[in-house]
């Protein structure tokens, strides 16, 4: 077992990580890719008796160039729009057979926030027993860094370019965890590649609960974020410390923060680590700070309720 030691994580009970690898070296991911780090730890937490359904996207492309694979688990490639439907069918087949094999569906924000949302919503409504994990790198990175529903306001992408009149994307990021929770999923959570013990504990907890579960994980993309590949853990940690990416879980409708940030760093410090935000004016940075503070306060208000849905 590998012993983990990381401060300031609410789910810090998990301190040991199995040494056996189920997502191995040899993939074609970019240097500094946060999503591949996540795949390694997701599969470690899930263990051997697991089936992976992987939507089209970066992680599908880099991990399975025919005839090679980085997966040491049963793995199925689904399209953007139907990976949740595939996972639903597998989960029902296993149920009929009386097997307890875990099913994990993995997609980027294109397959989750946008193109694949319809089948994800249907699977949640029907109550299939699987865990959906979104590696949230905030754009369609695999196909050329296009904006998605996960892209934050003012971020520069190839389809929301920062120009003189329009400074990047004009819309706010979609609050997908709350949308998923509104489907009455028994477990919904956010996590980050910067907080591995918290991530590990949430995966273990999700897999112990019957029914549809959703986990959204912040994953660095140096290619699309124009960021330093050596800071692929530091940058998402700053996102958590700036309250840009709050870490919480919603269990049967009850929201609870798993990482408290009582003395946040300025959002500006986080933004300046990435080229996708280098065009921002002081007024736009102030607006982003205001939005971040507002969203944090809304979540803290929801935490005080007995149930939010």
């Amino acid at each position: 077992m590998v012993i983990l030691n990381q401060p300031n994580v609410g789910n810090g009970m998990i301190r040991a990580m199995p040494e056996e690898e189920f997502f191995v070296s040899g993939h074609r991911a970019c240097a500094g890719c946060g999503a591949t780090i996540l795949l390694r730890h997701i599969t470690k937490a899930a263990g051997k008796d697991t089936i992976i359904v992987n939507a089209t996207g970066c992680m599908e492309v880099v991990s399975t160039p025919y005839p090679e694979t980085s997966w040491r688990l049963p793995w199925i490639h689904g399209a953007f729009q139907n990976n949740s439907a595939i996972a639903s069918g597998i989960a029902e087949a296993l149920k009929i057979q009386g097997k307890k094999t875990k099913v994990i569906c993995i997609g980027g924000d294109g397959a989750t926030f946008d193109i694949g949302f319809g089948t994800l919503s249907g699977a949640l409504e029907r109550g299939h027993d699987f865990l959906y994990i979104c590696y949230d790198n905030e754009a369609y990175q695999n196909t050329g860094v296009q904006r998605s529903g996960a892209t934050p306001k003012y971020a520069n992408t190839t389809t929301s370019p920062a120009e003189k009149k329009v400074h990047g994307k004009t819309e706010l990021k979609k609050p997908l965890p709350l949308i998923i929770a509104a489907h009455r999923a028994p477990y919904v959570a956010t996590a980050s590649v910067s907080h591995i013990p918290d991530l590990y504990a949430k995966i273990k907890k999700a897999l112990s609960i019957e029914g549809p579960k959703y986990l959204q994980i912040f994953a660095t993309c140096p290619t699309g974020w124009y960021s330093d590949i050596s800071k692929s853990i530091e940058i998402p940690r700053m996102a958590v410390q700036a309250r840009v990416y709050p870490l919480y879980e919603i269990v049967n409708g009850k929201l609870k923060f798993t990482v408290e940030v009582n003395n946040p760093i300025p959002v500006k410090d986080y933004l300046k680590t990435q080229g996708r935000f280098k065009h921002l004016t002081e007024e736009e940075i102030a607006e982003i700070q205001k939005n971040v503070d507002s969203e944090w306060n809304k979540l803290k208000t929801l935490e005080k309720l007995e149930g939010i849905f």
Side-chain angles (χ1 to χ4, degrees), residues 53-64 75-84 86 105-112 115-116 132-133 135 137 139-143:
V53 181
N54 194 175
T56 295
C58 288
M59 294 304 96
E60 170 261 321
V61 171
V62 303
S63 67
T64 57
W75 180 93
I76 296 175
H77 170 214
F80 274 125
Q81 66 270 26
N82 70 343
N83 59 328
S84 295
I86 295 170
C105 193
I106 297 173
D109 39 282
T112 312
I115 303 171
Y132 191 106
I133 296 178
Y135 59 92
N137 53 27
Y140 291 88
Q141 310 292 8
N142 174 57
T143 52

Side-chain angles (χ1 to χ4, degrees), residues 39-108:
L39 293 187
R40 182 180 176 217
H41 289 293
I42 289 166
T43 53
K44 276 177 172 285
K48 190 173 183 178
D49 191 20
T50 305
I51 296 173
I52 304 292
V53 181
N54 194 175
T56 295
C58 288
M59 294 304 96
E60 170 261 321
V61 171
V62 303
S63 67
T64 57
Y66 182 82
E68 302 168 0
T69 180
S70 290
W71 298 92
R72 289 182 175 172
L73 293 171
W75 180 93
I76 296 175
H77 170 214
F80 274 125
Q81 66 270 26
N82 70 343
N83 59 328
S84 295
I86 295 170
S88 300
I90 294 172
E92 289 306 304
L94 291 169
K95 182 178 179 180
I96 291 170
Q97 295 173 35
K99 295 182 178 179
K100 299 297 182 181
T101 301
K102 298 173 286 291
V103 180
I104 297 179
C105 193
I106 297 173

Side-chain angles (χ1 to χ4, degrees), residues 157-230:
T157 73
T158 55
T159 51
S160 62
E163 298 180 344
K164 290 183 179 180
K165 290 188 177 180
V166 179
H167 268 199
K169 187 187 175 191
T170 58
E171 303 85 14
L172 292 169
K173 180 171 182 171
K174 187 186 296 184
L176 193 57
L178 296 179
I179 295 170
I180 299 297
H183 285 68
R184 300 182 183 86
Y187 188 82
V188 177
T190 60
S192 173
V193 68
S194 62
H195 289 62
I196 294 300
D198 179 71
L199 166 66
Y200 190 86
K202 285 171 176 173
I203 293 171
K204 299 291 284 186
K205 187 171 184 176
L207 291 173
S208 72
I209 296 171
E210 187 174 352
K213 289 81 60 174
Y214 177 77
L215 182 56
Q216 186 172 298
I217 315 174
F218 199 49
T220 326
C221 179
T223 302
W225 295 5
Y226 308 103
S227 60
D228 186 338
I229 62 173
S230 70

